[in-house]
CSV table of all heavy atoms in Angstrom, one decimal:
chain,number,residue,atom,x,y,z
A,4,LEU,N,14.2,-12.6,1.2
A,4,LEU,CA,14.5,-12.2,-0.1
A,4,LEU,C,13.3,-12.0,-1.0
A,4,LEU,O,13.0,-11.0,-1.8
A,4,LEU,CB,15.6,-13.0,-0.8
A,4,LEU,CG,16.9,-12.5,-0.9
A,4,LEU,CD1,17.9,-13.5,-1.3
A,4,LEU,CD2,17.1,-11.3,-1.6
A,5,GLN,N,12.4,-13.0,-1.0
A,5,GLN,CA,11.2,-13.1,-1.8
A,5,GLN,C,10.3,-11.9,-1.3
A,5,GLN,O,9.6,-11.3,-2.2
A,5,GLN,CB,10.7,-14.4,-1.8
A,5,GLN,CG,11.3,-15.4,-2.5
A,5,GLN,CD,10.9,-16.9,-2.3
A,5,GLN,OE1,10.1,-17.1,-1.3
A,5,GLN,NE2,11.2,-17.8,-3.2
A,6,ASN,N,10.1,-11.8,0.0
A,6,ASN,CA,9.2,-10.8,0.6
A,6,ASN,C,9.8,-9.4,0.1
A,6,ASN,O,9.0,-8.5,-0.2
A,6,ASN,CB,9.1,-10.9,2.1
A,6,ASN,CG,8.4,-12.2,2.5
A,6,ASN,OD1,7.7,-12.8,1.7
A,6,ASN,ND2,8.7,-12.6,3.7
A,7,SER,N,11.1,-9.2,0.2
A,7,SER,CA,11.7,-8.0,-0.1
A,7,SER,C,11.4,-7.7,-1.6
A,7,SER,O,11.2,-6.5,-1.9
A,7,SER,CB,13.2,-8.0,0.2
A,7,SER,OG,13.4,-8.2,1.6
A,8,LYS,N,11.6,-8.8,-2.5
A,8,LYS,CA,11.4,-8.5,-3.9
A,8,LYS,C,9.9,-8.1,-4.1
A,8,LYS,O,9.6,-7.3,-4.9
A,8,LYS,CB,11.8,-9.7,-4.7
A,8,LYS,CG,13.2,-10.0,-4.8
A,8,LYS,CD,13.3,-11.3,-5.8
A,8,LYS,CE,14.8,-11.6,-6.0
A,8,LYS,NZ,15.1,-12.8,-6.7
A,9,THR,N,9.0,-8.8,-3.5
A,9,THR,CA,7.6,-8.4,-3.6
A,9,THR,C,7.3,-7.0,-3.2
A,9,THR,O,6.6,-6.2,-3.9
A,9,THR,CB,6.7,-9.4,-2.8
A,9,THR,OG1,7.1,-10.7,-3.2
A,9,THR,CG2,5.2,-9.1,-2.9
A,10,VAL,N,7.9,-6.6,-2.1
A,10,VAL,CA,7.7,-5.1,-1.6
A,10,VAL,C,8.3,-4.3,-2.6
A,10,VAL,O,7.8,-3.2,-2.9
A,10,VAL,CB,8.3,-5.0,-0.1
A,10,VAL,CG1,8.4,-3.5,0.3
A,10,VAL,CG2,7.5,-5.9,0.9
A,11,ILE,N,9.5,-4.7,-3.0
A,11,ILE,CA,10.2,-3.6,-4.0
A,11,ILE,C,9.4,-3.6,-5.3
A,11,ILE,O,9.2,-2.4,-5.8
A,11,ILE,CB,11.6,-4.1,-4.4
A,11,ILE,CG1,12.5,-4.0,-3.1
A,11,ILE,CG2,12.3,-3.5,-5.6
A,11,ILE,CD1,13.8,-4.5,-3.2
A,12,GLN,N,8.8,-4.6,-5.7
A,12,GLN,CA,8.0,-4.6,-7.0
A,12,GLN,C,6.8,-3.6,-6.8
A,12,GLN,O,6.4,-2.9,-7.6
A,12,GLN,CB,7.6,-6.0,-7.5
A,12,GLN,CG,8.7,-6.7,-8.1
A,12,GLN,CD,8.4,-8.2,-8.3
A,12,GLN,OE1,7.4,-8.8,-7.8
A,12,GLN,NE2,9.2,-8.9,-9.0
A,13,ALA,N,6.2,-3.9,-5.6
A,13,ALA,CA,4.9,-3.1,-5.3
A,13,ALA,C,5.4,-1.6,-5.3
A,13,ALA,O,4.7,-0.7,-5.8
A,13,ALA,CB,4.4,-3.5,-4.0
A,14,LYS,N,6.5,-1.3,-4.6
A,14,LYS,CA,7.0,0.2,-4.6
A,14,LYS,C,7.3,0.6,-5.8
A,14,LYS,O,7.1,1.8,-6.3
A,14,LYS,CB,8.1,0.2,-3.5
A,14,LYS,CG,7.6,0.1,-2.1
A,14,LYS,CD,8.7,0.3,-1.1
A,14,LYS,CE,8.1,0.2,0.3
A,14,LYS,NZ,9.1,0.5,1.4
A,15,ASP,N,7.9,-0.1,-6.7
A,15,ASP,CA,8.2,0.3,-8.1
A,15,ASP,C,7.1,0.6,-8.9
A,15,ASP,O,7.1,1.6,-9.5
A,15,ASP,CB,9.2,-0.8,-8.8
A,15,ASP,CG,10.6,-1.0,-8.3
A,15,ASP,OD1,11.1,0.1,-7.8
A,15,ASP,OD2,11.3,-1.9,-8.7
A,16,ALA,N,6.0,-0.2,-8.7
A,16,ALA,CA,4.7,0.0,-9.4
A,16,ALA,C,4.1,1.4,-8.9
A,16,ALA,O,3.7,2.2,-9.8
A,16,ALA,CB,3.8,-1.2,-9.1
A,17,VAL,N,4.3,1.7,-7.6
A,17,VAL,CA,3.7,2.9,-6.9
A,17,VAL,C,4.5,4.0,-7.5
A,17,VAL,O,3.9,5.0,-7.9
A,17,VAL,CB,3.7,2.9,-5.5
A,17,VAL,CG1,3.5,4.2,-5.0
A,17,VAL,CG2,2.7,1.8,-5.0
A,18,ILE,N,5.8,3.9,-7.5
A,18,ILE,CA,6.7,4.9,-8.1
A,18,ILE,C,6.4,5.2,-9.6
A,18,ILE,O,6.3,6.3,-9.9
A,18,ILE,CB,8.3,4.5,-7.9
A,18,ILE,CG1,8.6,4.6,-6.4
A,18,ILE,CG2,9.2,5.4,-8.8
A,18,ILE,CD1,9.9,4.0,-6.1
A,19,GLN,N,6.2,4.2,-10.4
A,19,GLN,CA,5.9,4.4,-11.8
A,19,GLN,C,4.6,5.0,-11.9
A,19,GLN,O,4.4,6.0,-12.7
A,19,GLN,CB,5.9,3.0,-12.6
A,19,GLN,CG,5.7,3.2,-14.0
A,19,GLN,CD,6.9,3.8,-14.6
A,19,GLN,OE1,7.9,3.9,-14.3
A,19,GLN,NE2,6.5,4.6,-15.7
A,20,GLU,N,3.6,4.8,-11.1
A,20,GLU,CA,2.3,5.3,-11.2
A,20,GLU,C,2.4,6.9,-10.8
A,20,GLU,O,1.9,7.7,-11.5
A,20,GLU,CB,1.3,4.7,-10.2
A,20,GLU,CG,0.0,5.0,-10.4
A,20,GLU,CD,-0.9,4.2,-9.3
A,20,GLU,OE1,-0.9,3.0,-9.4
A,20,GLU,OE2,-1.7,4.8,-8.6
A,21,LEU,N,3.3,7.0,-9.7
A,21,LEU,CA,3.4,8.5,-9.4
A,21,LEU,C,4.2,9.4,-10.4
A,21,LEU,O,3.9,10.4,-10.6
A,21,LEU,CB,4.2,8.5,-8.1
A,21,LEU,CG,3.5,8.2,-6.8
A,21,LEU,CD1,4.3,8.0,-5.6
A,21,LEU,CD2,2.2,9.0,-6.5
A,22,LYS,N,5.1,8.7,-11.0
A,22,LYS,CA,5.9,9.3,-12.2
A,22,LYS,C,5.0,9.8,-13.3
A,22,LYS,O,5.0,10.8,-13.8
A,22,LYS,CB,7.0,8.5,-12.7
A,22,LYS,CG,8.3,8.3,-11.9
A,22,LYS,CD,9.3,7.5,-12.5
A,22,LYS,CE,10.5,7.3,-11.8
A,22,LYS,NZ,11.5,6.6,-12.4
A,23,GLU,N,4.0,8.7,-13.6
A,23,GLU,CA,3.1,9.0,-14.6
A,23,GLU,C,2.1,10.3,-14.1
A,23,GLU,O,1.8,11.2,-15.0
A,23,GLU,CB,2.2,7.9,-14.9
A,23,GLU,CG,3.0,6.7,-15.6
A,23,GLU,CD,2.2,5.5,-15.8
A,23,GLU,OE1,1.0,5.4,-15.3
A,23,GLU,OE2,2.8,4.5,-16.2
A,24,LYS,N,1.8,10.2,-13.0
A,24,LYS,CA,0.8,11.3,-12.4
A,24,LYS,C,1.6,12.7,-12.5
A,24,LYS,O,1.0,13.7,-12.9
A,24,LYS,CB,0.4,11.0,-11.0
A,24,LYS,CG,-0.7,10.1,-10.9
A,24,LYS,CD,-1.1,9.9,-9.5
A,24,LYS,CE,-2.2,8.7,-9.4
A,24,LYS,NZ,-2.6,8.5,-8.0
A,25,VAL,N,2.9,12.6,-12.0
A,25,VAL,CA,3.6,13.8,-12.1
A,25,VAL,C,3.8,14.4,-13.5
A,25,VAL,O,3.7,15.6,-13.8
A,25,VAL,CB,5.0,13.6,-11.5
A,25,VAL,CG1,6.0,14.7,-11.8
A,25,VAL,CG2,5.0,13.4,-9.9
A,26,ALA,N,4.1,13.5,-14.4
A,26,ALA,CA,4.3,13.9,-15.8
A,26,ALA,C,2.9,14.5,-16.4
A,26,ALA,O,2.9,15.5,-17.0
A,26,ALA,CB,4.6,12.7,-16.8
A,27,TYR,N,1.8,13.8,-16.1
A,27,TYR,CA,0.4,14.3,-16.3
A,27,TYR,C,0.2,15.7,-15.7
A,27,TYR,O,-0.1,16.7,-16.5
A,27,TYR,CB,-0.5,13.3,-16.0
A,27,TYR,CG,-2.0,13.9,-16.4
A,27,TYR,CD1,-2.5,13.9,-17.6
A,27,TYR,CD2,-2.8,14.5,-15.3
A,27,TYR,CE1,-3.8,14.3,-17.8
A,27,TYR,CE2,-4.1,15.0,-15.5
A,27,TYR,CZ,-4.5,14.9,-16.9
A,27,TYR,OH,-5.8,15.3,-17.0
A,28,LEU,N,0.6,15.9,-14.5
A,28,LEU,CA,0.4,17.1,-13.8
A,28,LEU,C,1.3,18.2,-14.2
A,28,LEU,O,1.0,19.5,-14.4
A,28,LEU,CB,0.6,17.0,-12.2
A,28,LEU,CG,-0.6,16.2,-11.7
A,28,LEU,CD1,-0.2,15.9,-10.2
A,28,LEU,CD2,-1.9,16.9,-11.7
A,29,GLU,N,2.5,17.8,-14.6
A,29,GLU,CA,3.4,18.8,-15.2
A,29,GLU,C,2.8,19.4,-16.6
A,29,GLU,O,2.9,20.5,-17.0
A,29,GLU,CB,4.8,18.3,-15.5
A,29,GLU,CG,5.8,18.2,-14.2
A,29,GLU,CD,7.0,17.7,-14.5
A,29,GLU,OE1,7.3,16.9,-15.5
A,29,GLU,OE2,7.8,17.8,-13.5
A,30,ALA,N,2.3,18.4,-17.5
A,30,ALA,CA,1.8,18.8,-18.8
A,30,ALA,C,0.4,19.6,-18.5
A,30,ALA,O,0.4,20.7,-19.2
A,30,ALA,CB,1.4,17.6,-19.5
A,31,GLU,N,-0.3,19.4,-17.5
A,31,GLU,CA,-1.4,20.2,-17.3
A,31,GLU,C,-1.1,21.5,-16.7
A,31,GLU,O,-1.5,22.6,-17.0
A,31,GLU,CB,-2.3,19.5,-16.1
A,31,GLU,CG,-3.6,19.0,-16.7
A,31,GLU,CD,-4.5,18.6,-15.5
A,31,GLU,OE1,-4.2,18.7,-14.3
A,31,GLU,OE2,-5.4,17.7,-15.9
A,32,ASN,N,0.2,21.5,-15.9
A,32,ASN,CA,0.6,22.9,-15.4
A,32,ASN,C,1.0,23.7,-16.5
A,32,ASN,O,0.8,24.9,-16.5
A,32,ASN,CB,1.6,22.5,-14.3
A,32,ASN,CG,2.1,23.7,-13.7
A,32,ASN,OD1,1.4,24.7,-13.6
A,32,ASN,ND2,3.4,23.7,-13.2
A,33,LEU,N,1.8,23.2,-17.5
A,33,LEU,CA,2.4,23.9,-18.6
A,33,LEU,C,1.2,24.2,-19.4
A,33,LEU,O,1.1,25.6,-20.0
A,33,LEU,CB,3.1,23.0,-19.6
A,33,LEU,CG,4.6,22.7,-19.0
A,33,LEU,CD1,5.2,21.7,-19.9
A,33,LEU,CD2,5.4,23.9,-18.9
A,34,GLU,N,0.1,23.5,-19.7
A,34,GLU,CA,-1.0,24.0,-20.3
A,34,GLU,C,-1.7,25.2,-19.6
A,34,GLU,O,-2.0,26.1,-20.3
A,34,GLU,CB,-2.2,22.8,-20.5
A,34,GLU,CG,-3.2,23.2,-21.2
A,34,GLU,CD,-4.2,22.0,-21.3
A,34,GLU,OE1,-3.8,20.8,-21.0
A,34,GLU,OE2,-5.3,22.2,-21.6
A,35,MET,N,-1.9,25.0,-18.4
A,35,MET,CA,-2.4,26.1,-17.6
A,35,MET,C,-1.7,27.4,-17.7
A,35,MET,O,-2.2,28.5,-17.9
A,35,MET,CB,-2.7,25.8,-16.1
A,35,MET,CG,-3.6,24.7,-15.9
A,35,MET,SD,-5.3,25.3,-16.3
A,35,MET,CE,-6.2,24.8,-14.8
A,36,HIS,N,-0.3,27.2,-17.6
A,36,HIS,CA,0.7,28.3,-17.6
A,36,HIS,C,0.5,29.0,-19.0
A,36,HIS,O,0.4,30.2,-19.1
A,36,HIS,CB,2.0,27.9,-17.5
A,36,HIS,CG,2.9,29.0,-17.4
A,36,HIS,ND1,2.9,30.1,-16.6
A,36,HIS,CD2,4.1,29.2,-18.2
A,36,HIS,CE1,4.0,30.8,-16.7
A,36,HIS,NE2,4.7,30.3,-17.8
A,37,ASP,N,0.4,28.2,-20.2
A,37,ASP,CA,0.2,28.7,-21.4
A,37,ASP,C,-1.1,29.5,-21.5
A,37,ASP,O,-1.3,30.5,-22.3
A,37,ASP,CB,0.4,27.7,-22.5
A,37,ASP,CG,1.8,27.3,-22.6
A,37,ASP,OD1,2.7,28.0,-22.1
A,37,ASP,OD2,2.1,26.2,-23.3
A,38,ARG,N,-2.1,28.9,-21.1
A,38,ARG,CA,-3.4,29.5,-21.0
A,38,ARG,C,-3.4,30.9,-20.4
A,38,ARG,O,-4.1,32.0,-20.9
A,38,ARG,CB,-4.4,28.6,-20.5
A,38,ARG,CG,-4.8,27.5,-21.3
A,38,ARG,CD,-5.8,26.6,-20.8
A,38,ARG,NE,-7.1,27.0,-20.6
A,38,ARG,CZ,-8.0,26.4,-19.8
A,38,ARG,NH1,-7.7,25.3,-19.1
A,38,ARG,NH2,-9.3,26.9,-19.7
A,39,ILE,N,-2.8,31.1,-19.2
A,39,ILE,CA,-2.7,32.2,-18.5
A,39,ILE,C,-1.8,33.2,-19.4
A,39,ILE,O,-2.4,34.3,-19.5
A,39,ILE,CB,-2.0,32.0,-17.2
A,39,ILE,CG1,-3.0,31.3,-16.2
A,39,ILE,CG2,-1.6,33.3,-16.5
A,39,ILE,CD1,-2.5,30.8,-14.9
A,40,GLU,N,-0.7,32.8,-19.9
A,40,GLU,CA,0.1,33.6,-20.8
A,40,GLU,C,-0.8,34.1,-21.9
A,40,GLU,O,-0.7,35.3,-22.3
A,40,GLU,CB,1.3,32.9,-21.2
A,40,GLU,CG,2.4,32.8,-20.3
A,40,GLU,CD,3.6,32.1,-20.9
A,40,GLU,OE1,3.6,31.9,-22.1
A,40,GLU,OE2,4.5,31.8,-20.1
A,41,HIS,N,-1.6,33.2,-22.5
A,41,HIS,CA,-2.5,33.5,-23.6
A,41,HIS,C,-3.4,34.6,-23.3
A,41,HIS,O,-3.7,35.6,-24.0
A,41,HIS,CB,-3.1,32.2,-24.1
A,41,HIS,CG,-4.0,32.6,-25.4
A,41,HIS,ND1,-3.5,32.8,-26.5
A,41,HIS,CD2,-5.3,32.5,-25.4
A,41,HIS,CE1,-4.6,33.0,-27.3
A,41,HIS,NE2,-5.7,32.8,-26.7
């Protein structure tokens, strides 16, 4: 159980990091899209 909790916490941290990267890339994508539209 303790090992599983540690693994889950590590994976949760990776997931959170990936979510942040996705949000950043989506914002960058919107910005690029707007620049192209502009």
Side-chain angles (χ1 to χ4, degrees):
L4 258 171
Q5 289 172 340
N6 291 341
S7 296
K8 281 183 181 179
T9 304
V10 167
I11 288 172
Q12 288 173 347
K14 288 185 178 184
D15 281 348
V17 168
I18 288 171
Q19 187 61 35
E20 190 177 310
L21 290 173
K22 282 181 179 180
E23 291 171 3
K24 284 182 181 179
V25 165
Y27 175 78
L28 291 173
E29 282 180 344
E31 251 187 13
N32 188 23
L33 284 175
E34 181 183 346
M35 294 291 233
H36 183 58
D37 285 348
R38 286 173 69 191
I39 289 172
E40 281 181 11
H41 178 71

